[in-house]
Amino acid sequence: MHVAPYWLTDDVLDLKDHWKHVQDKNPHIGLCCPNITNRYYNNHFLYLKAHFEQRWFRYFGVQIEENSDPNVVGTLSRADQLQAFLKLSGFLYTYPERNTCYLPPIEMMVLGAPVIYLPGSLLHRYFGAESPGFVPDENAAIIAARRLVARDRYFIDDIVESQIPIVERYTKTHCLPIFSRIIKEILGSPSGSPFLYSPRKDLSGKPVLVLGHFEEGYGYSNGEYTSVHGIPRVMRQIVKSLTESDVPVVVTALHSDVVNTYGFYASQTLKSEHLSIFPAEDFRGSGRMPPVSQATDHWIDSVLPVPILLLRGLLVLLKQLLRRYQGKFKNNDPDASSRNSDDDPWQCVIVPHYYLFPEALNLSTKHLVTYLPDYMPHFFAGRGYFPEEESHLRIGRGLVKKSKTVLTSSSFSARYLPISKLAVPAEKIVIFPLPLLSPSPKDQGANDVEERVRSALENEIFIFYPTQPHPNKRIDLLLKSWIKVRALRSRIKVKLVLTAGKLDPTLMELIEEAELASDIYLLPRITDTSLSWLYESASCLAFPSELEGNFPTQVLEALLHNCPVVTMNNPLIADELGPLMRHFLVAEFADTDAFAELIVYAIEHRDQTLENQRNLLEFVKTKFAFEKYRDNILTLIGADVPIKTNDAVGGEGSGYEGRSLTPSKPHSALNATG
């Protein structure tokens, strides 16, 4: 027998610990009782009516038939159900099954709400009778439920804290490695899948290899494949450029993420037949791709004695040293390159990050391209934002040395990369700008906006900043500005929407001190359709970023989706647009007072702000056209296509003129941007 765990859906995990931020709680306790016309569930329904008939007990669950009982909530949409859960005062779990647990109480725990439970259940088996959520009988359950409705803070906090181990057991991080291993044992190798790559697969020419096996890099929500990271979205444009030009592409994926990886990259190409996926763990031999090390801890580590674990670590170290020695031996072989000149299986290998893929150092290929949009430690030394780890530097320098070309997305980056600690030779640098990374409005398909997004924000006034919480993004400056916006216009409840999954605790403290926790929305893993809707519905894009590696894609997307742009003076915008930057609302960097005033202006003078921005639209559409990007990518890998000139408007006033930036001489074969 095989036992495989499952994890909760993204719509619940996205709302992890949100319960405490919802202030207007209903004085109701949730219970679970679906399909009460079914004999089994009807017996439980009668039990609930006998013991928990007070009107403040609400029975949740899908009902096949209409029911007018005042305790029965009835069938809800998924979004409405989660919103109802967030407003409950707590949940009472009443089923006695020892080997299974219905999901509503688990979902409530993930939301951060208190759950109480009766004897005999799986929750009782796990927690025992000592947990603060345990109630020995129905009368005790009613007493505990009244304490929840009365918002007994210490009682609630004790229950919620005790639930943390259960919450972790239903996360993807915990379940997916176990689930993947069990399913692979049942099904065997997935090599029969039509989209998996095999060296014997009939492809028209050598494929381009794109390393795409990011940890937790891809997801699926509301009918669309998504990524929380920016780099996979860049790689998707490269894959689209190549496959739609009939160039075969192989993207590496973690075994646990093969389907989502394929779906993500196939979703925006018209010729997905040229796309294949190779599980990164399956590369073996010839130094082409060593096994990918797994970051997850093995359960055996928790039960083996320390001496055996030390022996295990020593064996791993010896294996790595042997591999390094073998690689050195091969690299010192003067006849190796000539002997293997026809043995390179790849037309080109694209490495999308300077240290996340150390296995690329062992790839036997003559044409390796490293994508290096930026090197943030160069500008943040001493601030603790981007510490320069020696292992990262070592990998980065190795990739730079091995690369035939280093691809970057701005002249700004090209000027400082040669003098950074990565020491990128100027003659290796190729520059061309990114195109739009998500579909333009006219390209959106029939997918609906996610209900969790529309239901929360439709007809609301909100500021939008789609980004991950990296230090250079300066979410702290935006929060300070937002608080000032609320003070400037207290009559307008301006909300804030971020695509970060969570914020630093110090930032959350700032929000809670301002009593604005209920007006900030964290929406990770949103779909492209929802992203477009947010741009179109937002009062403005507020862009406080201190530094980027390319012209900010958020600004480009906001322009194309008719969203007002308010930005702090950013060197990448100034460098690319020059005097045209005057068409935006621009505050000096870190001036939160001015930034707040400009946000208020954008809200109150939307039409005028958009009219001023339209002067940039044609320039941006031309400069960042996908067709130019596609042709540049084809030239980069050695395809014979005509090159279109990319006219740039370089500018001063970036705020970084005082830095000692020695101008590089970027590769001139491609469309430079400055």
Side-chain angles (χ1 to χ4, degrees), residues 25 331 419 504 586:
K25 292 285 190 294
N331 291 338
I419 60 171
D504 185 272
V586 184

Side-chain angles (χ1 to χ4, degrees), residues 548-576:
E548 298 287 321
N550 46 263
F551 185 85
T553 55
Q554 298 98 322
V555 173
L556 178 59
E557 290 168 344
L559 278 171
L560 295 178
H561 287 87
N562 218 29
C563 176
V565 176
V566 182
T567 179
M568 289 186 178
N569 193 8
N570 183 285
L572 270 296
I573 302 176
D575 205 53
E576 296 290 345

Side-chain angles (χ1 to χ4, degrees), residues 82-151:
L82 292 177
Q83 290 303 311
F85 279 6
L86 287 170
K87 292 185 177 182
L88 287 173
S89 294
F91 199 92
L92 168 61
Y93 188 61
T94 53
Y95 286 89
E97 285 88 352
R98 298 180 70 254
N99 296 319
T100 188
C101 180
Y102 291 86
L103 287 181
I106 307 299
E107 292 173 336
M108 286 290 287
M109 291 181 184
V110 171
L111 296 178
V115 175
I116 54 179
Y117 57 91
L118 286 160
S121 66
L122 183 59
L123 291 179
H124 181 211
R125 281 185 62 192
Y126 181 82
F127 285 119
E130 303 304 318
S131 167
F134 174 74
V135 287
D137 54 42
E138 288 81 2
N139 289 332
I142 292 175
I143 293 171
R146 290 189 187 280
R147 293 179 69 184
L148 296 181
V149 171
R151 305 302 301 275

Side-chain angles (χ1 to χ4, degrees), residues 419-437:
I419 60 171
S420 72
K421 289 189 177 181
L422 290 179
V424 183
E427 62 272 12
K428 284 191 174 185
I429 296 176
V430 167
I431 320 161
F432 48 87
L434 296 175
L436 183 68
L437 295 184

